[in-house]
Amino acid sequence: MNTALQNDLLNCLKLIDPNWKIQDNKSDKDTNFIYKCNTLKECLDTISKKGADKQYALHRWYNYMTSIECENLFCTYGAVHEQDKCNHDVDIYINNIPFDVKVTVYPAKLSNRSYDLKTRSGKDEMIRWFYANQSQGARKQMVNRLYVVCDGTDQAECLKMKSDFSVLEAEISAFMNDALNSGVNQIQITDEGNVHNLLSDIIYISYN
C-alpha cells in the first residue's frame, strides 16, 4: 500500500461529510476530473480551479482511489486487471471471467440490518437488492459484480473501512482463495422482465 496515498485518504476523510447526495449524471460530468488526480492536493487544487462541488468531488475521489486499491488487492491474490481503464463494465478477471468491483457501505435504507451478510442466503438477498436499487441512467449495469460491503456502526466508520486495507486484504484474500478453486457464486436477477444469469458475491467487511 502506498503510504502517501494512505495519508491522503485519511486526510480526505477529515474533509468530507459522511452523508452526501445521490449521484447524478450532471454532477458526475462536472467532477470527472477526479480520475486524473493522483493526490489529494491535486484534487483540491482542481476543485478550486473549476469551482466544483467540493463535497461531491472529494467523495468521488476518495471512493475512486479506495476502489483502485481494492482492485489491486484482488489482483495480488490471483485476479487480473482489465487493461482498458475506460471499460465501465469490467475491472478485473477471475479465471478469465470479467467482473465489475463495487466498494460500498451497508445501505442506510437497510439500517434495520435486514440481511445477514454472514450467511449465503443473506448475501444473495442483498445482491438482488443492490441490482434492483442501483443507480439508473448511465451507471446502470447488469453485469457480473463483486460487492465489497463495509458495515460500520455509522456512515463515518463505513467510509473509514473503505481505506482500512489491512482488514480489506484479509477478507479479499480469503474470497479469492475460494473463487479460484470453486468459482464465484451464481445468481439469477430479473430486471424489467429480463432474466440475467450472473456471477456475483459480497465480500463482507466488519469490525465485529
PDB file of all heavy atoms in Angstrom, residues 136-161:
ATOM      1  N   GLN A 136     -29.579   4.542 -11.853  1.00  0.00           N
ATOM      2  CA  GLN A 136     -30.114   4.356 -13.189  1.00  0.00           C
ATOM      3  C   GLN A 136     -29.290   5.175 -14.191  1.00  0.00           C
ATOM      4  O   GLN A 136     -28.202   5.640 -13.892  1.00  0.00           O
ATOM      5  CB  GLN A 136     -31.590   4.747 -13.212  1.00  0.00           C
ATOM      6  CG  GLN A 136     -32.454   3.950 -12.239  1.00  0.00           C
ATOM      7  CD  GLN A 136     -32.463   2.465 -12.528  1.00  0.00           C
ATOM      8  OE1 GLN A 136     -32.842   2.026 -13.610  1.00  0.00           O
ATOM      9  NE2 GLN A 136     -32.034   1.663 -11.552  1.00  0.00           N
ATOM     10  N   GLY A 137     -29.820   5.343 -15.377  1.00  0.00           N
ATOM     11  CA  GLY A 137     -29.143   6.161 -16.377  1.00  0.00           C
ATOM     12  C   GLY A 137     -27.838   5.531 -16.810  1.00  0.00           C
ATOM     13  O   GLY A 137     -27.726   4.323 -17.014  1.00  0.00           O
ATOM     14  N   ALA A 138     -26.817   6.368 -16.939  1.00  0.00           N
ATOM     15  CA  ALA A 138     -25.535   5.927 -17.496  1.00  0.00           C
ATOM     16  C   ALA A 138     -24.815   4.922 -16.602  1.00  0.00           C
ATOM     17  O   ALA A 138     -23.933   4.208 -17.065  1.00  0.00           O
ATOM     18  CB  ALA A 138     -24.639   7.135 -17.743  1.00  0.00           C
ATOM     19  N   ARG A 139     -25.168   4.862 -15.301  1.00  0.00           N
ATOM     20  CA  ARG A 139     -24.439   3.980 -14.388  1.00  0.00           C
ATOM     21  C   ARG A 139     -25.086   2.611 -14.216  1.00  0.00           C
ATOM     22  O   ARG A 139     -24.546   1.759 -13.527  1.00  0.00           O
ATOM     23  CB  ARG A 139     -24.290   4.660 -13.021  1.00  0.00           C
ATOM     24  CG  ARG A 139     -23.352   5.839 -13.015  1.00  0.00           C
ATOM     25  CD  ARG A 139     -23.353   6.566 -11.682  1.00  0.00           C
ATOM     26  NE  ARG A 139     -24.676   7.034 -11.333  1.00  0.00           N
ATOM     27  CZ  ARG A 139     -25.228   8.135 -11.832  1.00  0.00           C
ATOM     28  NH1 ARG A 139     -24.568   8.854 -12.720  1.00  0.00           N
ATOM     29  NH2 ARG A 139     -26.427   8.513 -11.482  1.00  0.00           N
ATOM     30  N   LYS A 140     -26.269   2.395 -14.830  1.00  0.00           N
ATOM     31  CA  LYS A 140     -26.957   1.116 -14.640  1.00  0.00           C
ATOM     32  C   LYS A 140     -26.237   0.018 -15.419  1.00  0.00           C
ATOM     33  O   LYS A 140     -25.946   0.164 -16.596  1.00  0.00           O
ATOM     34  CB  LYS A 140     -28.404   1.206 -15.099  1.00  0.00           C
ATOM     35  CG  LYS A 140     -29.187  -0.079 -14.823  1.00  0.00           C
ATOM     36  CD  LYS A 140     -30.650   0.072 -15.163  1.00  0.00           C
ATOM     37  CE  LYS A 140     -31.412  -1.204 -14.851  1.00  0.00           C
ATOM     38  NZ  LYS A 140     -32.854  -1.086 -15.153  1.00  0.00           N
ATOM     39  N   GLN A 141     -25.963  -1.090 -14.730  1.00  0.00           N
ATOM     40  CA  GLN A 141     -25.266  -2.214 -15.350  1.00  0.00           C
ATOM     41  C   GLN A 141     -25.866  -3.525 -14.851  1.00  0.00           C
ATOM     42  O   GLN A 141     -26.147  -3.672 -13.666  1.00  0.00           O
ATOM     43  CB  GLN A 141     -23.779  -2.188 -14.993  1.00  0.00           C
ATOM     44  CG  GLN A 141     -23.020  -0.944 -15.409  1.00  0.00           C
ATOM     45  CD  GLN A 141     -21.700  -0.843 -14.669  1.00  0.00           C
ATOM     46  OE1 GLN A 141     -21.677  -0.846 -13.444  1.00  0.00           O
ATOM     47  NE2 GLN A 141     -20.607  -0.748 -15.404  1.00  0.00           N
ATOM     48  N   MET A 142     -26.047  -4.467 -15.772  1.00  0.00           N
ATOM     49  CA  MET A 142     -26.441  -5.825 -15.396  1.00  0.00           C
ATOM     50  C   MET A 142     -25.288  -6.738 -15.811  1.00  0.00           C
ATOM     51  O   MET A 142     -25.324  -7.400 -16.853  1.00  0.00           O
ATOM     52  CB  MET A 142     -27.751  -6.215 -16.082  1.00  0.00           C
ATOM     53  CG  MET A 142     -28.930  -5.313 -15.718  1.00  0.00           C
ATOM     54  SD  MET A 142     -29.274  -5.233 -13.939  1.00  0.00           S
ATOM     55  CE  MET A 142     -29.804  -6.905 -13.601  1.00  0.00           C
ATOM     56  N   VAL A 143     -24.238  -6.704 -15.021  1.00  0.00           N
ATOM     57  CA  VAL A 143     -23.011  -7.443 -15.321  1.00  0.00           C
ATOM     58  C   VAL A 143     -22.563  -8.205 -14.077  1.00  0.00           C
ATOM     59  O   VAL A 143     -23.067  -7.966 -12.970  1.00  0.00           O
ATOM     60  CB  VAL A 143     -21.885  -6.473 -15.773  1.00  0.00           C
ATOM     61  CG1 VAL A 143     -22.268  -5.757 -17.064  1.00  0.00           C
ATOM     62  CG2 VAL A 143     -21.564  -5.458 -14.670  1.00  0.00           C
ATOM     63  N   ASN A 144     -21.618  -9.123 -14.254  1.00  0.00           N
ATOM     64  CA  ASN A 144     -21.038  -9.819 -13.101  1.00  0.00           C
ATOM     65  C   ASN A 144     -20.432  -8.781 -12.166  1.00  0.00           C
ATOM     66  O   ASN A 144     -19.689  -7.902 -12.602  1.00  0.00           O
ATOM     67  CB  ASN A 144     -19.940 -10.783 -13.547  1.00  0.00           C
ATOM     68  CG  ASN A 144     -20.456 -11.889 -14.447  1.00  0.00           C
ATOM     69  OD1 ASN A 144     -21.615 -12.284 -14.363  1.00  0.00           O
ATOM     70  ND2 ASN A 144     -19.596 -12.385 -15.314  1.00  0.00           N
ATOM     71  N   ARG A 145     -20.740  -8.895 -10.881  1.00  0.00           N
ATOM     72  CA  ARG A 145     -20.275  -7.849  -9.974  1.00  0.00           C
ATOM     73  C   ARG A 145     -19.885  -8.426  -8.615  1.00  0.00           C
ATOM     74  O   ARG A 145     -20.553  -9.317  -8.070  1.00  0.00           O
ATOM     75  CB  ARG A 145     -21.360  -6.791  -9.791  1.00  0.00           C
ATOM     76  CG  ARG A 145     -20.958  -5.651  -8.868  1.00  0.00           C
ATOM     77  CD  ARG A 145     -21.990  -4.537  -8.889  1.00  0.00           C
ATOM     78  NE  ARG A 145     -21.996  -3.885 -10.189  1.00  0.00           N
ATOM     79  CZ  ARG A 145     -23.111  -3.551 -10.864  1.00  0.00           C
ATOM     80  NH1 ARG A 145     -24.288  -3.833 -10.358  1.00  0.00           N
ATOM     81  NH2 ARG A 145     -23.024  -2.952 -12.023  1.00  0.00           N
ATOM     82  N   LEU A 146     -18.799  -7.883  -8.062  1.00  0.00           N
ATOM     83  CA  LEU A 146     -18.372  -8.197  -6.702  1.00  0.00           C
ATOM     84  C   LEU A 146     -18.576  -6.965  -5.838  1.00  0.00           C
ATOM     85  O   LEU A 146     -18.091  -5.884  -6.169  1.00  0.00           O
ATOM     86  CB  LEU A 146     -16.903  -8.611  -6.688  1.00  0.00           C
ATOM     87  CG  LEU A 146     -16.557  -9.848  -7.527  1.00  0.00           C
ATOM     88  CD1 LEU A 146     -15.050 -10.075  -7.521  1.00  0.00           C
ATOM     89  CD2 LEU A 146     -17.293 -11.086  -7.016  1.00  0.00           C
ATOM     90  N   TYR A 147     -19.321  -7.130  -4.756  1.00  0.00           N
ATOM     91  CA  TYR A 147     -19.587  -6.028  -3.827  1.00  0.00           C
ATOM     92  C   TYR A 147     -18.723  -6.193  -2.580  1.00  0.00           C
ATOM     93  O   TYR A 147     -18.810  -7.207  -1.881  1.00  0.00           O
ATOM     94  CB  TYR A 147     -21.056  -6.031  -3.397  1.00  0.00           C
ATOM     95  CG  TYR A 147     -22.039  -5.772  -4.501  1.00  0.00           C
ATOM     96  CD1 TYR A 147     -22.655  -6.826  -5.180  1.00  0.00           C
ATOM     97  CD2 TYR A 147     -22.384  -4.465  -4.864  1.00  0.00           C
ATOM     98  CE1 TYR A 147     -23.578  -6.591  -6.183  1.00  0.00           C
ATOM     99  CE2 TYR A 147     -23.309  -4.218  -5.873  1.00  0.00           C
ATOM    100  CZ  TYR A 147     -23.897  -5.290  -6.527  1.00  0.00           C
ATOM    101  OH  TYR A 147     -24.817  -5.058  -7.539  1.00  0.00           O
ATOM    102  N   VAL A 148     -17.891  -5.199  -2.312  1.00  0.00           N
ATOM    103  CA  VAL A 148     -17.144  -5.153  -1.057  1.00  0.00           C
ATOM    104  C   VAL A 148     -17.956  -4.241  -0.136  1.00  0.00           C
ATOM    105  O   VAL A 148     -17.999  -3.030  -0.317  1.00  0.00           O
ATOM    106  CB  VAL A 148     -15.722  -4.605  -1.260  1.00  0.00           C
ATOM    107  CG1 VAL A 148     -14.975  -4.554   0.065  1.00  0.00           C
ATOM    108  CG2 VAL A 148     -14.963  -5.453  -2.282  1.00  0.00           C
ATOM    109  N   VAL A 149     -18.651  -4.843   0.828  1.00  0.00           N
ATOM    110  CA  VAL A 149     -19.617  -4.110   1.649  1.00  0.00           C
ATOM    111  C   VAL A 149     -19.034  -3.822   3.031  1.00  0.00           C
ATOM    112  O   VAL A 149     -18.773  -4.737   3.818  1.00  0.00           O
ATOM    113  CB  VAL A 149     -20.938  -4.895   1.791  1.00  0.00           C
ATOM    114  CG1 VAL A 149     -21.920  -4.119   2.674  1.00  0.00           C
ATOM    115  CG2 VAL A 149     -21.554  -5.143   0.418  1.00  0.00           C
ATOM    116  N   CYS A 150     -18.847  -2.533   3.321  1.00  0.00           N
ATOM    117  CA  CYS A 150     -18.323  -2.098   4.614  1.00  0.00           C
ATOM    118  C   CYS A 150     -19.483  -1.841   5.570  1.00  0.00           C
ATOM    119  O   CYS A 150     -20.362  -1.029   5.287  1.00  0.00           O
ATOM    120  CB  CYS A 150     -17.495  -0.836   4.437  1.00  0.00           C
ATOM    121  SG  CYS A 150     -16.051  -1.075   3.375  1.00  0.00           S
ATOM    122  N   ASP A 151     -19.480  -2.527   6.696  1.00  0.00           N
ATOM    123  CA  ASP A 151     -20.581  -2.453   7.655  1.00  0.00           C
ATOM    124  C   ASP A 151     -20.076  -1.918   8.991  1.00  0.00           C
ATOM    125  O   ASP A 151     -19.659  -2.674   9.868  1.00  0.00           O
ATOM    126  CB  ASP A 151     -21.212  -3.837   7.819  1.00  0.00           C
ATOM    127  CG  ASP A 151     -22.449  -3.821   8.700  1.00  0.00           C
ATOM    128  OD1 ASP A 151     -22.965  -2.714   8.972  1.00  0.00           O
ATOM    129  OD2 ASP A 151     -22.909  -4.911   9.096  1.00  0.00           O
ATOM    130  N   GLY A 152     -20.110  -0.600   9.146  1.00  0.00           N
ATOM    131  CA  GLY A 152     -19.668   0.033  10.381  1.00  0.00           C
ATOM    132  C   GLY A 152     -20.828   0.431  11.267  1.00  0.00           C
ATOM    133  O   GLY A 152     -21.997   0.216  10.928  1.00  0.00           O
ATOM    134  N   THR A 153     -20.525   1.043  12.398  1.00  0.00           N
ATOM    135  CA  THR A 153     -21.568   1.458  13.333  1.00  0.00           C
ATOM    136  C   THR A 153     -22.307   2.696  12.839  1.00  0.00           C
ATOM    137  O   THR A 153     -23.417   2.970  13.270  1.00  0.00           O
ATOM    138  CB  THR A 153     -20.965   1.751  14.720  1.00  0.00           C
ATOM    139  OG1 THR A 153     -19.915   2.732  14.572  1.00  0.00           O
ATOM    140  CG2 THR A 153     -20.368   0.484  15.320  1.00  0.00           C
ATOM    141  N   ASP A 154     -21.665   3.469  11.948  1.00  0.00           N
ATOM    142  CA  ASP A 154     -22.302   4.636  11.354  1.00  0.00           C
ATOM    143  C   ASP A 154     -21.638   4.908  10.005  1.00  0.00           C
ATOM    144  O   ASP A 154     -20.698   4.223   9.605  1.00  0.00           O
ATOM    145  CB  ASP A 154     -22.220   5.867  12.271  1.00  0.00           C
ATOM    146  CG  ASP A 154     -20.797   6.181  12.714  1.00  0.00           C
ATOM    147  OD1 ASP A 154     -19.845   5.884  11.939  1.00  0.00           O
ATOM    148  OD2 ASP A 154     -20.619   6.715  13.822  1.00  0.00           O
ATOM    149  N   GLN A 155     -22.139   5.927   9.291  1.00  0.00           N
ATOM    150  CA  GLN A 155     -21.621   6.212   7.960  1.00  0.00           C
ATOM    151  C   GLN A 155     -20.140   6.608   7.998  1.00  0.00           C
ATOM    152  O   GLN A 155     -19.376   6.269   7.094  1.00  0.00           O
ATOM    153  CB  GLN A 155     -22.449   7.325   7.298  1.00  0.00           C
ATOM    154  CG  GLN A 155     -23.835   6.872   6.860  1.00  0.00           C
ATOM    155  CD  GLN A 155     -23.785   5.788   5.804  1.00  0.00           C
ATOM    156  OE1 GLN A 155     -23.202   5.965   4.750  1.00  0.00           O
ATOM    157  NE2 GLN A 155     -24.400   4.648   6.078  1.00  0.00           N
ATOM    158  N   ALA A 156     -19.734   7.308   9.041  1.00  0.00           N
ATOM    159  CA  ALA A 156     -18.335   7.721   9.156  1.00  0.00           C
ATOM    160  C   ALA A 156     -17.415   6.508   9.271  1.00  0.00           C
ATOM    161  O   ALA A 156     -16.368   6.441   8.616  1.00  0.00           O
ATOM    162  CB  ALA A 156     -18.152   8.642  10.359  1.00  0.00           C
ATOM    163  N   GLU A 157     -17.800   5.528  10.083  1.00  0.00           N
ATOM    164  CA  GLU A 157     -16.973   4.334  10.229  1.00  0.00           C
ATOM    165  C   GLU A 157     -16.988   3.508   8.945  1.00  0.00           C
ATOM    166  O   GLU A 157     -15.968   2.914   8.564  1.00  0.00           O
ATOM    167  CB  GLU A 157     -17.455   3.481  11.399  1.00  0.00           C
ATOM    168  CG  GLU A 157     -16.514   2.308  11.689  1.00  0.00           C
ATOM    169  CD  GLU A 157     -16.852   1.558  12.963  1.00  0.00           C
ATOM    170  OE1 GLU A 157     -17.787   0.724  12.929  1.00  0.00           O
ATOM    171  OE2 GLU A 157     -16.190   1.814  13.979  1.00  0.00           O
ATOM    172  N   CYS A 158     -18.132   3.480   8.260  1.00  0.00           N
ATOM    173  CA  CYS A 158     -18.218   2.766   6.984  1.00  0.00           C
ATOM    174  C   CYS A 158     -17.242   3.355   5.971  1.00  0.00           C
ATOM    175  O   CYS A 158     -16.539   2.626   5.257  1.00  0.00           O
ATOM    176  CB  CYS A 158     -19.639   2.830   6.427  1.00  0.00           C
ATOM    177  SG  CYS A 158     -20.821   1.762   7.282  1.00  0.00           S
ATOM    178  N   LEU A 159     -17.198   4.678   5.897  1.00  0.00           N
ATOM    179  CA  LEU A 159     -16.268   5.337   4.984  1.00  0.00           C
ATOM    180  C   LEU A 159     -14.820   5.007   5.344  1.00  0.00           C
ATOM    181  O   LEU A 159     -13.998   4.728   4.474  1.00  0.00           O
ATOM    182  CB  LEU A 159     -16.475   6.853   5.028  1.00  0.00           C
ATOM    183  CG  LEU A 159     -17.485   7.476   4.069  1.00  0.00           C
ATOM    184  CD1 LEU A 159     -17.557   8.973   4.279  1.00  0.00           C
ATOM    185  CD2 LEU A 159     -17.145   7.157   2.615  1.00  0.00           C
ATOM    186  N   LYS A 160     -14.520   5.030   6.639  1.00  0.00           N
ATOM    187  CA  LYS A 160     -13.163   4.730   7.099  1.00  0.00           C
ATOM    188  C   LYS A 160     -12.760   3.310   6.706  1.00  0.00           C
ATOM    189  O   LYS A 160     -11.615   3.063   6.316  1.00  0.00           O
ATOM    190  CB  LYS A 160     -13.079   4.905   8.616  1.00  0.00           C
ATOM    191  CG  LYS A 160     -11.685   4.644   9.182  1.00  0.00           C
ATOM    192  CD  LYS A 160     -11.673   4.822  10.697  1.00  0.00           C
ATOM    193  CE  LYS A 160     -10.290   4.516  11.256  1.00  0.00           C
ATOM    194  NZ  LYS A 160     -10.255   4.640  12.735  1.00  0.00           N
ATOM    195  N   MET A 161     -13.709   2.377   6.792  1.00  0.00           N
ATOM    196  CA  MET A 161     -13.424   0.987   6.449  1.00  0.00           C
ATOM    197  C   MET A 161     -12.953   0.841   5.009  1.00  0.00           C
ATOM    198  O   MET A 161     -12.154  -0.035   4.688  1.00  0.00           O
ATOM    199  CB  MET A 161     -14.681   0.126   6.646  1.00  0.00           C
ATOM    200  CG  MET A 161     -14.965  -0.270   8.062  1.00  0.00           C
ATOM    201  SD  MET A 161     -16.435  -1.325   8.108  1.00  0.00           S
ATOM    202  CE  MET A 161     -16.463  -1.711   9.856  1.00  0.00           C
TER     203      MET A 161
END
